[in-house]
Amino acid sequence: MGNGILVVAEHDGSNFKKTAYELLAKAKALAGGAPVSALVMGRSDAGDLGEYGAATVYTADGDVFAHYTPGAYVKALQAAVSAADPAVVLAPASAEAKDAFPRLAARLGVGYATEVTELRVDGGAVVGRRPQYGGKAFSDVHVSSSVALFTVRPNSFPAGVATGGSSNVVALSLDLQPGDVKTTVVDSEEPSGDVVDLTEADRIVSGGRAVKSKEGFDTIIRTLAASIGASPGASRAAVDAGYAPHSEQVGQTGKVVNPTLYIACGISGAIQHLAGMRTSKVIVSINKDPEAPIFALTTYGIVGDIFEVCPLLTEAFTAALA
Amino acid sequence: MKIGVLLKQVPSSDEQIKIADPSAGIATGDIKWTINPYDEYAVEEALRLKDAKKASSVVVYTVGGKAVEQRIRDALAMGADGAVRLDDPAFEGSDCLGISRILSAALKADDVSLVMAGKQAIDGDNAQVPMMVAELLDWACVGVVSKLEIGDGSLKAWRASGGGVQDVVEANLPAVITADKGLNEPRYASLRGIMMAKRKKILVKGAADLGLDGATVGAGAAHVVEDAWSLPPARPAGRILEGDNAQRVQELVRALHEEAKII
Ligand SMILES: Cc1cc2nc3c(=O)[nH]c(=O)nc-3n(C[C@H](O)[C@H](O)[C@H](O)COP(=O)(O)OP(=O)(O)OC[C@H]3O[C@@H](n4cnc5c(N)ncnc54)[C@H](O)[C@@H]3O)c2cc1C
Ligand SMILES: Cc1cc2nc3c(=O)[nH]c(=O)nc-3n(C[C@H](O)[C@H](O)[C@H](O)COP(=O)(O)OP(=O)(O)OC[C@H]3O[C@@H](n4cnc5c(N)ncnc54)[C@H](O)[C@@H]3O)c2cc1C
């Protein structure tokens, strides 16, 4: 491939996110020897990205990155694209990248494909595959512009292993002009606890209408989730009834998730819910109705009462992980 | 202040999707269509701003054929004042950037100062058009907003950022906002609203009306092309665990550990 692949490596302030290693591993495989580089915003070091295949790491740091603004993010991307001149840019389908990439595409007049779950090389070009209609259909997506932009759903590819190697760090100068940053973050509320965002979570325990109350959600679902370090999720029925916040809704009009393990407790499996979680690798369902549609997608099913099964499962997980 | 609402019709969320022709996309024959749910929040928020005397009028913009007029009427019945339907053979085969070029040309011509859109269309799932429109107009955009306050020439928006962070963002108008669930509870159209909607005017505009070069939109300008459509891959058959609750739970933990190797 022409000029290789640029990966946006996101971090949480101290560590790079799993998506950074997933994308570097994929980039290395797709690039077939062409250069792989990374862009890091809001810090000035490359961390261990070199060991995972980033030959060059572009950094954009400064106070302007204390909070996400599309203005600074797009400017940094633009600078990295012009420095690395890549054929392909890959970023995780995070809230930030999904906000910034359309702006970048419009600024450069190039094509962008949202939230692909597969990438392959075909006839010298990188081709993506993406879910649409809330995961009810898939299509290939071809991006024909000189640089092709993709965001990638977290957990789509395995993270690579460190193979040694180091990276050349290049600090980008952004030359931000007045008017480049049009939004100001005046307040920022961190989530309580250190629960992984649903869209990035590797394990999810979700509760439905059957939990009957907020207390039910807290004692049954959150406790079970905590026992395996999972993020709690909810059906829309549970959210609309006030048992869980909307930020925890999974489905076509909630979060689309892609974990290794999804445990659905007292969720019927309405088409809109399935749309948000059907790519989960292993699905466990606990439902008292053997005819519940969720069982059609289930890897391991238990026909039973969540108020009895979930506490037993919490105990068993706790014992198994002790 | 004039508010523009970007509205798209989508298959109802409870529709089963079938593929007609793998190279072309889904079968649309007997599909039930609705306003994109996130666009309903956008319409509602615009109407509330008008009710609160913060806006003078609410105009719906949509790129699409004659068939989308029913959805436009639905929004007019909720209370929108007017609509512009953007339609031209030159628009066929547009990708997101093409659609955004059409919309931004129309918005610019109409002196709109706040654009309300959905955070994503639940069919294409691209989540691109509103941010592209903002970029093309050189406006601010705040996406995935669950609470909005409009001041004098400025706005304050509550937005979901990554990692479950809730940001409060300020920006000057003109701006684009994309609506998340939770922004409001959309109203139902009243009978009177439905009657009045019949008399409201839907303007139809094409490339020439917008002063738009047809070569910058449509299939010829599209950098993104989709094909090889398919339904989701079938999942391997699952297993219902047997025994009493304690036995089933033990079997589940064992299977997750030994078979799936994930616990
Ligand atoms: C436009 C639109 C968008 C939507 N978007 C979403 C979305 O994003 N996400 C989403 O989830 N839904 C969405 N929905 C709603 C969806 O159609 C369903 O109504 C919803 O998913 C049902 O939630 P539920 O499974 O918790 O409840 P129900 O369908 O009521 O199912 C409850 C289940 O719990 C079981 N149960 C009851 N008691 C127990 C017990 N004690 N132990 C074990 N099992 C028990 C029952 O057998 C049943 O299967 C949307 C709907 C529309 C119209
Ligand atoms: C006339 C026409 C021709 C098309 N031809 C093709 C084709 O040949 N091949 C192909 O693959 N795709 C085609 N499309 C699909 C088109 O590329 C997508 O609809 C477009 O890129 C938007 O993507 P999305 O629906 O995922 O919107 P998103 O970016 O997810 O939408 C977010 C928000 O933007 C606004 N919005 C989006 N689309 C519109 C719109 N049309 N009008 C008003 N507001 C909107 C809404 O507020 C929506 O909630 C066509 C669409 C139209 C309207």
Side-chain angles (χ1 to χ4, degrees), chain A residues 208-209 235-237 249-253 266 268 272-273 287-288 305-306, chain B residues 13:
Chain A
R209 194 196 306 276
S235 73
R236 171 159 152 184
Q249 180 177 320
V250 172
Q252 195 162 359
T253 54
S268 61
Q272 298 97 343
H273 188 80
N287 195 302
K288 67 180 183 191
D305 188 329
I306 56 166
Chain B
S13 69

mmCIF file with all atom_site columns, all heavy atoms in Angstrom, chain A residues 208-209 235-237 249-253 266 268 272-273 287-288 305-306, chain B residues 13, ligand 1:
data_model
loop_
_atom_site.group_PDB
_atom_site.id
_atom_site.type_symbol
_atom_site.label_atom_id
_atom_site.label_alt_id
_atom_site.label_comp_id
_atom_site.label_asym_id
_atom_site.label_entity_id
_atom_site.label_seq_id
_atom_site.pdbx_PDB_ins_code
_atom_site.Cartn_x
_atom_site.Cartn_y
_atom_site.Cartn_z
_atom_site.occupancy
_atom_site.B_iso_or_equiv
_atom_site.pdbx_formal_charge
_atom_site.auth_seq_id
_atom_site.auth_comp_id
_atom_site.auth_asym_id
_atom_site.auth_atom_id
_atom_site.pdbx_PDB_model_num
ATOM   1   N N   . GLY A 1 208 ? -33.201 -6.442  32.329 1.00 0.00 ? 208 GLY A N   1
ATOM   2   C CA  . GLY A 1 208 ? -34.392 -5.955  31.643 1.00 0.00 ? 208 GLY A CA  1
ATOM   3   C C   . GLY A 1 208 ? -35.497 -5.596  32.618 1.00 0.00 ? 208 GLY A C   1
ATOM   4   O O   . GLY A 1 208 ? -35.266 -5.446  33.816 1.00 0.00 ? 208 GLY A O   1
ATOM   5   N N   . ARG A 1 209 ? -36.678 -5.468  32.064 1.00 0.00 ? 209 ARG A N   1
ATOM   6   C CA  . ARG A 1 209 ? -37.857 -5.099  32.842 1.00 0.00 ? 209 ARG A CA  1
ATOM   7   C C   . ARG A 1 209 ? -38.035 -6.011  34.067 1.00 0.00 ? 209 ARG A C   1
ATOM   8   O O   . ARG A 1 209 ? -38.548 -5.582  35.093 1.00 0.00 ? 209 ARG A O   1
ATOM   9   C CB  . ARG A 1 209 ? -39.094 -5.229  31.944 1.00 0.00 ? 209 ARG A CB  1
ATOM   10  C CG  . ARG A 1 209 ? -40.343 -4.569  32.474 1.00 0.00 ? 209 ARG A CG  1
ATOM   11  C CD  . ARG A 1 209 ? -41.585 -5.066  31.730 1.00 0.00 ? 209 ARG A CD  1
ATOM   12  N NE  . ARG A 1 209 ? -41.532 -4.933  30.283 1.00 0.00 ? 209 ARG A NE  1
ATOM   13  C CZ  . ARG A 1 209 ? -41.852 -3.821  29.611 1.00 0.00 ? 209 ARG A CZ  1
ATOM   14  N NH1 . ARG A 1 209 ? -42.243 -2.758  30.276 1.00 0.00 ? 209 ARG A NH1 1
ATOM   15  N NH2 . ARG A 1 209 ? -41.783 -3.799  28.307 1.00 0.00 ? 209 ARG A NH2 1
ATOM   16  N N   . SER A 1 235 ? -31.958 -2.981  29.147 1.00 0.00 ? 235 SER A N   1
ATOM   17  C CA  . SER A 1 235 ? -32.882 -2.870  28.013 1.00 0.00 ? 235 SER A CA  1
ATOM   18  C C   . SER A 1 235 ? -33.564 -1.517  28.095 1.00 0.00 ? 235 SER A C   1
ATOM   19  O O   . SER A 1 235 ? -33.526 -0.845  29.125 1.00 0.00 ? 235 SER A O   1
ATOM   20  C CB  . SER A 1 235 ? -33.940 -3.974  28.076 1.00 0.00 ? 235 SER A CB  1
ATOM   21  O OG  . SER A 1 235 ? -34.863 -3.686  29.115 1.00 0.00 ? 235 SER A OG  1
ATOM   22  N N   . ARG A 1 236 ? -34.208 -1.129  27.010 1.00 0.00 ? 236 ARG A N   1
ATOM   23  C CA  . ARG A 1 236 ? -34.930 0.142   27.038 1.00 0.00 ? 236 ARG A CA  1
ATOM   24  C C   . ARG A 1 236 ? -36.079 0.098   28.042 1.00 0.00 ? 236 ARG A C   1
ATOM   25  O O   . ARG A 1 236 ? -36.367 1.102   28.687 1.00 0.00 ? 236 ARG A O   1
ATOM   26  C CB  . ARG A 1 236 ? -35.464 0.469   25.644 1.00 0.00 ? 236 ARG A CB  1
ATOM   27  C CG  . ARG A 1 236 ? -36.393 1.642   25.679 1.00 0.00 ? 236 ARG A CG  1
ATOM   28  C CD  . ARG A 1 236 ? -36.524 2.284   24.315 1.00 0.00 ? 236 ARG A CD  1
ATOM   29  N NE  . ARG A 1 236 ? -37.819 2.921   24.191 1.00 0.00 ? 236 ARG A NE  1
ATOM   30  C CZ  . ARG A 1 236 ? -38.248 3.496   23.086 1.00 0.00 ? 236 ARG A CZ  1
ATOM   31  N NH1 . ARG A 1 236 ? -37.509 3.497   22.004 1.00 0.00 ? 236 ARG A NH1 1
ATOM   32  N NH2 . ARG A 1 236 ? -39.428 4.062   23.051 1.00 0.00 ? 236 ARG A NH2 1
ATOM   33  N N   . ALA A 1 237 ? -36.719 -1.062  28.183 1.00 0.00 ? 237 ALA A N   1
ATOM   34  C CA  . ALA A 1 237 ? -37.824 -1.146  29.144 1.00 0.00 ? 237 ALA A CA  1
ATOM   35  C C   . ALA A 1 237 ? -37.304 -0.815  30.547 1.00 0.00 ? 237 ALA A C   1
ATOM   36  O O   . ALA A 1 237 ? -37.966 -0.111  31.310 1.00 0.00 ? 237 ALA A O   1
ATOM   37  C CB  . ALA A 1 237 ? -38.455 -2.533  29.111 1.00 0.00 ? 237 ALA A CB  1
ATOM   38  N N   . GLN A 1 249 ? -28.294 2.044   28.315 1.00 0.00 ? 249 GLN A N   1
ATOM   39  C CA  . GLN A 1 249 ? -29.178 1.313   27.398 1.00 0.00 ? 249 GLN A CA  1
ATOM   40  C C   . GLN A 1 249 ? -28.405 0.696   26.247 1.00 0.00 ? 249 GLN A C   1
ATOM   41  O O   . GLN A 1 249 ? -27.609 1.345   25.586 1.00 0.00 ? 249 GLN A O   1
ATOM   42  C CB  . GLN A 1 249 ? -30.258 2.242   26.846 1.00 0.00 ? 249 GLN A CB  1
ATOM   43  C CG  . GLN A 1 249 ? -31.204 1.515   25.876 1.00 0.00 ? 249 GLN A CG  1
ATOM   44  C CD  . GLN A 1 249 ? -32.314 2.418   25.374 1.00 0.00 ? 249 GLN A CD  1
ATOM   45  O OE1 . GLN A 1 249 ? -32.864 3.200   26.144 1.00 0.00 ? 249 GLN A OE1 1
ATOM   46  N NE2 . GLN A 1 249 ? -32.631 2.334   24.097 1.00 0.00 ? 249 GLN A NE2 1
ATOM   47  N N   . VAL A 1 250 ? -28.689 -0.584  26.000 1.00 0.00 ? 250 VAL A N   1
ATOM   48  C CA  . VAL A 1 250 ? -28.088 -1.309  24.888 1.00 0.00 ? 250 VAL A CA  1
ATOM   49  C C   . VAL A 1 250 ? -29.155 -1.499  23.815 1.00 0.00 ? 250 VAL A C   1
ATOM   50  O O   . VAL A 1 250 ? -30.281 -1.871  24.133 1.00 0.00 ? 250 VAL A O   1
ATOM   51  C CB  . VAL A 1 250 ? -27.571 -2.687  25.360 1.00 0.00 ? 250 VAL A CB  1
ATOM   52  C CG1 . VAL A 1 250 ? -27.126 -3.540  24.174 1.00 0.00 ? 250 VAL A CG1 1
ATOM   53  C CG2 . VAL A 1 250 ? -26.434 -2.522  26.357 1.00 0.00 ? 250 VAL A CG2 1
ATOM   54  N N   . GLY A 1 251 ? -28.808 -1.243  22.563 1.00 0.00 ? 251 GLY A N   1
ATOM   55  C CA  . GLY A 1 251 ? -29.767 -1.504  21.498 1.00 0.00 ? 251 GLY A CA  1
ATOM   56  C C   . GLY A 1 251 ? -29.688 -0.494  20.381 1.00 0.00 ? 251 GLY A C   1
ATOM   57  O O   . GLY A 1 251 ? -28.798 0.351   20.355 1.00 0.00 ? 251 GLY A O   1
ATOM   58  N N   . GLN A 1 252 ? -30.650 -0.597  19.497 1.00 0.00 ? 252 GLN A N   1
ATOM   59  C CA  . GLN A 1 252 ? -30.633 0.225   18.278 1.00 0.00 ? 252 GLN A CA  1
ATOM   60  C C   . GLN A 1 252 ? -30.680 1.711   18.615 1.00 0.00 ? 252 GLN A C   1
ATOM   61  O O   . GLN A 1 252 ? -30.115 2.521   17.893 1.00 0.00 ? 252 GLN A O   1
ATOM   62  C CB  . GLN A 1 252 ? -31.821 -0.156  17.393 1.00 0.00 ? 252 GLN A CB  1
ATOM   63  C CG  . GLN A 1 252 ? -31.696 0.373   15.985 1.00 0.00 ? 252 GLN A CG  1
ATOM   64  C CD  . GLN A 1 252 ? -32.619 -0.339  15.012 1.00 0.00 ? 252 GLN A CD  1
ATOM   65  O OE1 . GLN A 1 252 ? -33.363 -1.253  15.382 1.00 0.00 ? 252 GLN A OE1 1
ATOM   66  N NE2 . GLN A 1 252 ? -32.567 0.057   13.758 1.00 0.00 ? 252 GLN A NE2 1
ATOM   67  N N   . THR A 1 253 ? -31.373 2.083   19.697 1.00 0.00 ? 253 THR A N   1
ATOM   68  C CA  . THR A 1 253 ? -31.377 3.487   20.103 1.00 0.00 ? 253 THR A CA  1
ATOM   69  C C   . THR A 1 253 ? -30.641 3.670   21.433 1.00 0.00 ? 253 THR A C   1
ATOM   70  O O   . THR A 1 253 ? -30.920 4.589   22.183 1.00 0.00 ? 253 THR A O   1
ATOM   71  C CB  . THR A 1 253 ? -32.810 4.049   20.193 1.00 0.00 ? 253 THR A CB  1
ATOM   72  O OG1 . THR A 1 253 ? -33.595 3.220   21.049 1.00 0.00 ? 253 THR A OG1 1
ATOM   73  C CG2 . THR A 1 253 ? -33.458 4.096   18.826 1.00 0.00 ? 253 THR A CG2 1
ATOM   74  N N   . GLY A 1 266 ? -33.314 -11.460 32.299 1.00 0.00 ? 266 GLY A N   1
ATOM   75  C CA  . GLY A 1 266 ? -34.690 -10.979 32.261 1.00 0.00 ? 266 GLY A CA  1
ATOM   76  C C   . GLY A 1 266 ? -34.920 -9.999  31.135 1.00 0.00 ? 266 GLY A C   1
ATOM   77  O O   . GLY A 1 266 ? -35.585 -8.983  31.297 1.00 0.00 ? 266 GLY A O   1
ATOM   78  N N   . SER A 1 268 ? -36.208 -9.925  27.077 1.00 0.00 ? 268 SER A N   1
ATOM   79  C CA  . SER A 1 268 ? -36.929 -10.817 26.159 1.00 0.00 ? 268 SER A CA  1
ATOM   80  C C   . SER A 1 268 ? -36.176 -11.019 24.848 1.00 0.00 ? 268 SER A C   1
ATOM   81  O O   . SER A 1 268 ? -36.292 -12.062 24.218 1.00 0.00 ? 268 SER A O   1
ATOM   82  C CB  . SER A 1 268 ? -38.330 -10.266 25.882 1.00 0.00 ? 268 SER A CB  1
ATOM   83  O OG  . SER A 1 268 ? -38.244 -8.988  25.272 1.00 0.00 ? 268 SER A OG  1
ATOM   84  N N   . GLN A 1 272 ? -35.000 -4.587  18.610 1.00 0.00 ? 272 GLN A N   1
ATOM   85  C CA  . GLN A 1 272 ? -34.165 -3.396  18.827 1.00 0.00 ? 272 GLN A CA  1
ATOM   86  C C   . GLN A 1 272 ? -33.073 -3.656  19.850 1.00 0.00 ? 272 GLN A C   1
ATOM   87  O O   . GLN A 1 272 ? -32.032 -3.003  19.841 1.00 0.00 ? 272 GLN A O   1
ATOM   88  C CB  . GLN A 1 272 ? -35.008 -2.213  19.303 1.00 0.00 ? 272 GLN A CB  1
ATOM   89  C CG  . GLN A 1 272 ? -36.060 -1.750  18.313 1.00 0.00 ? 272 GLN A CG  1
ATOM   90  C CD  . GLN A 1 272 ? -37.429 -2.322  18.594 1.00 0.00 ? 272 GLN A CD  1
ATOM   91  O OE1 . GLN A 1 272 ? -37.554 -3.297  19.328 1.00 0.00 ? 272 GLN A OE1 1
ATOM   92  N NE2 . GLN A 1 272 ? -38.452 -1.722  18.024 1.00 0.00 ? 272 GLN A NE2 1
ATOM   93  N N   . HIS A 1 273 ? -33.308 -4.568  20.790 1.00 0.00 ? 273 HIS A N   1
ATOM   94  C CA  . HIS A 1 273 ? -32.266 -4.896  21.757 1.00 0.00 ? 273 HIS A CA  1
ATOM   95  C C   . HIS A 1 273 ? -31.187 -5.754  21.087 1.00 0.00 ? 273 HIS A C   1
ATOM   96  O O   . HIS A 1 273 ? -29.991 -5.484  21.222 1.00 0.00 ? 273 HIS A O   1
ATOM   97  C CB  . HIS A 1 273 ? -32.843 -5.611  22.981 1.00 0.00 ? 273 HIS A CB  1
ATOM   98  C CG  . HIS A 1 273 ? -31.830 -5.781  24.082 1.00 0.00 ? 273 HIS A CG  1
ATOM   99  N ND1 . HIS A 1 273 ? -31.518 -4.761  24.940 1.00 0.00 ? 273 HIS A ND1 1
ATOM   100 C CD2 . HIS A 1 273 ? -31.006 -6.806  24.408 1.00 0.00 ? 273 HIS A CD2 1
ATOM   101 C CE1 . HIS A 1 273 ? -30.551 -5.164  25.763 1.00 0.00 ? 273 HIS A CE1 1
ATOM   102 N NE2 . HIS A 1 273 ? -30.224 -6.404  25.462 1.00 0.00 ? 273 HIS A NE2 1
ATOM   103 N N   . ASN A 1 287 ? -33.718 -16.347 31.591 1.00 0.00 ? 287 ASN A N   1
ATOM   104 C CA  . ASN A 1 287 ? -35.074 -15.869 31.379 1.00 0.00 ? 287 ASN A CA  1
ATOM   105 C C   . ASN A 1 287 ? -36.022 -16.980 31.794 1.00 0.00 ? 287 ASN A C   1
ATOM   106 O O   . ASN A 1 287 ? -35.768 -18.153 31.520 1.00 0.00 ? 287 ASN A O   1
ATOM   107 C CB  . ASN A 1 287 ? -35.276 -15.516 29.894 1.00 0.00 ? 287 ASN A CB  1
ATOM   108 C CG  . ASN A 1 287 ? -36.523 -14.682 29.676 1.00 0.00 ? 287 ASN A CG  1
ATOM   109 O OD1 . ASN A 1 287 ? -37.633 -15.099 30.026 1.00 0.00 ? 287 ASN A OD1 1
ATOM   110 N ND2 . ASN A 1 287 ? -36.347 -13.509 29.101 1.00 0.00 ? 287 ASN A ND2 1
ATOM   111 N N   . LYS A 1 288 ? -37.149 -16.624 32.444 1.00 0.00 ? 288 LYS A N   1
ATOM   112 C CA  . LYS A 1 288 ? -38.037 -17.688 32.903 1.00 0.00 ? 288 LYS A CA  1
ATOM   113 C C   . LYS A 1 288 ? -38.932 -18.230 31.802 1.00 0.00 ? 288 LYS A C   1
ATOM   114 O O   . LYS A 1 288 ? -39.546 -19.266 31.973 1.00 0.00 ? 288 LYS A O   1
ATOM   115 C CB  . LYS A 1 288 ? -38.841 -17.229 34.114 1.00 0.00 ? 288 LYS A CB  1
ATOM   116 C CG  . LYS A 1 288 ? -39.845 -16.135 33.846 1.00 0.00 ? 288 LYS A CG  1
ATOM   117 C CD  . LYS A 1 288 ? -40.572 -15.764 35.144 1.00 0.00 ? 288 LYS A CD  1
ATOM   118 C CE  . LYS A 1 288 ? -41.639 -14.720 34.849 1.00 0.00 ? 288 LYS A CE  1
ATOM   119 N NZ  . LYS A 1 288 ? -42.189 -14.142 36.069 1.00 0.00 ? 288 LYS A NZ  1
ATOM   120 N N   . ASP A 1 305 ? -35.535 -18.118 37.135 1.00 0.00 ? 305 ASP A N   1
ATOM   121 C CA  . ASP A 1 305 ? -35.876 -16.825 37.728 1.00 0.00 ? 305 ASP A CA  1
ATOM   122 C C   . ASP A 1 305 ? -34.587 -16.066 38.063 1.00 0.00 ? 305 ASP A C   1
ATOM   123 O O   . ASP A 1 305 ? -33.734 -16.583 38.792 1.00 0.00 ? 305 ASP A O   1
ATOM   124 C CB  . ASP A 1 305 ? -36.699 -17.084 38.996 1.00 0.00 ? 305 ASP A CB  1
ATOM   125 C CG  . ASP A 1 305 ? -37.267 -15.800 39.575 1.00 0.00 ? 305 ASP A CG  1
ATOM   126 O OD1 . ASP A 1 305 ? -36.626 -14.732 39.433 1.00 0.00 ? 305 ASP A OD1 1
ATOM   127 O OD2 . ASP A 1 305 ? -38.355 -15.866 40.179 1.00 0.00 ? 305 ASP A OD2 1
ATOM   128 N N   . ILE A 1 306 ? -34.453 -14.863 37.540 1.00 0.00 ? 306 ILE A N   1
ATOM   129 C CA  . ILE A 1 306 ? -33.215 -14.108 37.777 1.00 0.00 ? 306 ILE A CA  1
ATOM   130 C C   . ILE A 1 306 ? -32.974 -13.845 39.263 1.00 0.00 ? 306 ILE A C   1
ATOM   131 O O   . ILE A 1 306 ? -31.832 -13.765 39.701 1.00 0.00 ? 306 ILE A O   1
ATOM   132 C CB  . ILE A 1 306 ? -33.174 -12.757 37.013 1.00 0.00 ? 306 ILE A CB  1
ATOM   133 C CG1 . ILE A 1 306 ? -34.370 -11.877 37.352 1.00 0.00 ? 306 ILE A CG1 1
ATOM   134 C CG2 . ILE A 1 306 ? -33.033 -12.957 35.528 1.00 0.00 ? 306 ILE A CG2 1
ATOM   135 C CD1 . ILE A 1 306 ? -34.213 -10.426 36.908 1.00 0.00 ? 306 ILE A CD1 1
ATOM   136 N N   . SER B 2 13  ? -38.053 0.746   13.481 1.00 0.00 ? 13  SER B N   1
ATOM   137 C CA  . SER B 2 13  ? -37.021 -0.049  14.164 1.00 0.00 ? 13  SER B CA  1
ATOM   138 C C   . SER B 2 13  ? -37.433 -1.499  14.394 1.00 0.00 ? 13  SER B C   1
ATOM   139 O O   . SER B 2 13  ? -36.596 -2.346  14.633 1.00 0.00 ? 13  SER B O   1
ATOM   140 C CB  . SER B 2 13  ? -36.656 0.601   15.506 1.00 0.00 ? 13  SER B CB  1
ATOM   141 O OG  . SER B 2 13  ? -37.733 0.480   16.410 1.00 0.00 ? 13  SER B OG  1
HETATM 142 C C1  . LIG C 3 .   ? -38.024 3.149   18.149 1.00 0.00 ? 1   LIG C C1  1
HETATM 143 C C2  . LIG C 3 .   ? -37.728 2.090   19.182 1.00 0.00 ? 1   LIG C C2  1
HETATM 144 C C3  . LIG C 3 .   ? -36.418 1.956   19.619 1.00 0.00 ? 1   LIG C C3  1
HETATM 145 C C4  . LIG C 3 .   ? -36.104 0.996   20.593 1.00 0.00 ? 1   LIG C C4  1
HETATM 146 N N1  . LIG C 3 .   ? -34.805 0.887   20.993 1.00 0.00 ? 1   LIG C N1  1
HETATM 147 C C5  . LIG C 3 .   ? -34.493 -0.052  21.931 1.00 0.00 ? 1   LIG C C5  1
HETATM 148 C C6  . LIG C 3 .   ? -33.134 -0.196  22.380 1.00 0.00 ? 1   LIG C C6  1
HETATM 149 O O1  . LIG C 3 .   ? -32.229 0.522   21.950 1.00 0.00 ? 1   LIG C O1  1
HETATM 150 N N2  . LIG C 3 .   ? -32.871 -1.144  23.311 1.00 0.00 ? 1   LIG C N2  1
HETATM 151 C C7  . LIG C 3 .   ? -33.846 -1.967  23.835 1.00 0.00 ? 1   LIG C C7  1
HETATM 152 O O2  . LIG C 3 .   ? -33.528 -2.805  24.690 1.00 0.00 ? 1   LIG C O2  1
HETATM 153 N N3  . LIG C 3 .   ? -35.120 -1.832  23.440 1.00 0.00 ? 1   LIG C N3  1
HETATM 154 C C8  . LIG C 3 .   ? -35.473 -0.895  22.513 1.00 0.00 ? 1   LIG C C8  1
HETATM 155 N N4  . LIG C 3 .   ? -36.775 -0.758  22.155 1.00 0.00 ? 1   LIG C N4  1
HETATM 156 C C9  . LIG C 3 .   ? -37.811 -1.463  22.944 1.00 0.00 ? 1   LIG C C9  1
HETATM 157 C C10 . LIG C 3 .   ? -38.004 -2.926  22.583 1.00 0.00 ? 1   LIG C C10 1
HETATM 158 O O3  . LIG C 3 .   ? -38.948 -2.999  21.540 1.00 0.00 ? 1   LIG C O3  1
HETATM 159 C C11 . LIG C 3 .   ? -38.541 -3.708  23.807 1.00 0.00 ? 1   LIG C C11 1
HETATM 160 O O4  . LIG C 3 .   ? -39.727 -3.103  24.250 1.00 0.00 ? 1   LIG C O4  1
HETATM 161 C C12 . LIG C 3 .   ? -37.568 -3.778  24.981 1.00 0.00 ? 1   LIG C C12 1
HETATM 162 O O5  . LIG C 3 .   ? -36.280 -4.171  24.539 1.00 0.00 ? 1   LIG C O5  1
HETATM 163 C C13 . LIG C 3 .   ? -38.090 -4.764  26.007 1.00 0.00 ? 1   LIG C C13 1
HETATM 164 O O6  . LIG C 3 .   ? -37.255 -4.766  27.148 1.00 0.00 ? 1   LIG C O6  1
HETATM 165 P P1  . LIG C 3 .   ? -37.221 -6.059  28.108 1.00 0.00 ? 1   LIG C P1  1
HETATM 166 O O7  . LIG C 3 .   ? -36.704 -7.218  27.355 1.00 0.00 ? 1   LIG C O7  1
HETATM 167 O O8  . LIG C 3 .   ? -36.499 -5.656  29.333 1.00 0.00 ? 1   LIG C O8  1
HETATM 168 O O9  . LIG C 3 .   ? -38.742 -6.229  28.524 1.00 0.00 ? 1   LIG C O9  1
HETATM 169 P P2  . LIG C 3 .   ? -39.804 -7.313  28.096 1.00 0.00 ? 1   LIG C P2  1
HETATM 170 O O10 . LIG C 3 .   ? -39.910 -7.445  26.634 1.00 0.00 ? 1   LIG C O10 1
HETATM 171 O O11 . LIG C 3 .   ? -41.019 -7.005  28.871 1.00 0.00 ? 1   LIG C O11 1
HETATM 172 O O12 . LIG C 3 .   ? -39.174 -8.682  28.603 1.00 0.00 ? 1   LIG C O12 1
HETATM 173 C C14 . LIG C 3 .   ? -38.993 -9.007  29.944 1.00 0.00 ? 1   LIG C C14 1
HETATM 174 C C15 . LIG C 3 .   ? -38.483 -10.436 29.943 1.00 0.00 ? 1   LIG C C15 1
HETATM 175 O O13 . LIG C 3 .   ? -38.167 -10.823 31.266 1.00 0.00 ? 1   LIG C O13 1
HETATM 176 C C16 . LIG C 3 .   ? -38.629 -12.141 31.499 1.00 0.00 ? 1   LIG C C16 1
HETATM 177 N N5  . LIG C 3 .   ? -38.850 -12.233 32.940 1.00 0.00 ? 1   LIG C N5  1
HETATM 178 C C17 . LIG C 3 .   ? -39.797 -11.610 33.688 1.00 0.00 ? 1   LIG C C17 1
HETATM 179 N N6  . LIG C 3 .   ? -39.620 -11.879 34.986 1.00 0.00 ? 1   LIG C N6  1
HETATM 180 C C18 . LIG C 3 .   ? -38.524 -12.689 35.065 1.00 0.00 ? 1   LIG C C18 1
HETATM 181 C C19 . LIG C 3 .   ? -37.837 -13.274 36.159 1.00 0.00 ? 1   LIG C C19 1
HETATM 182 N N7  . LIG C 3 .   ? -38.185 -13.074 37.427 1.00 0.00 ? 1   LIG C N7  1
HETATM 183 N N8  . LIG C 3 .   ? -36.759 -14.041 35.881 1.00 0.00 ? 1   LIG C N8  1
HETATM 184 C C20 . LIG C 3 .   ? -36.365 -14.252 34.588 1.00 0.00 ? 1   LIG C C20 1
HETATM 185 N N9  . LIG C 3 .   ? -36.991 -13.698 33.540 1.00 0.00 ? 1   LIG C N9  1
HETATM 186 C C21 . LIG C 3 .   ? -38.044 -12.920 33.774 1.00 0.00 ? 1   LIG C C21 1
HETATM 187 C C22 . LIG C 3 .   ? -39.843 -12.290 30.650 1.00 0.00 ? 1   LIG C C22 1
HETATM 188 O O14 . LIG C 3 .   ? -40.049 -13.676 30.343 1.00 0.00 ? 1   LIG C O14 1
HETATM 189 C C23 . LIG C 3 .   ? -39.499 -11.459 29.419 1.00 0.00 ? 1   LIG C C23 1
HETATM 190 O O15 . LIG C 3 .   ? -38.876 -12.248 28.450 1.00 0.00 ? 1   LIG C O15 1
HETATM 191 C C24 . LIG C 3 .   ? -37.123 0.179   21.162 1.00 0.00 ? 1   LIG C C24 1
HETATM 192 C C25 . LIG C 3 .   ? -38.429 0.311   20.706 1.00 0.00 ? 1   LIG C C25 1
HETATM 193 C C26 . LIG C 3 .   ? -38.744 1.245   19.720 1.00 0.00 ? 1   LIG C C26 1
HETATM 194 C C27 . LIG C 3 .   ? -40.166 1.359   19.254 1.00 0.00 ? 1   LIG C C27 1
#
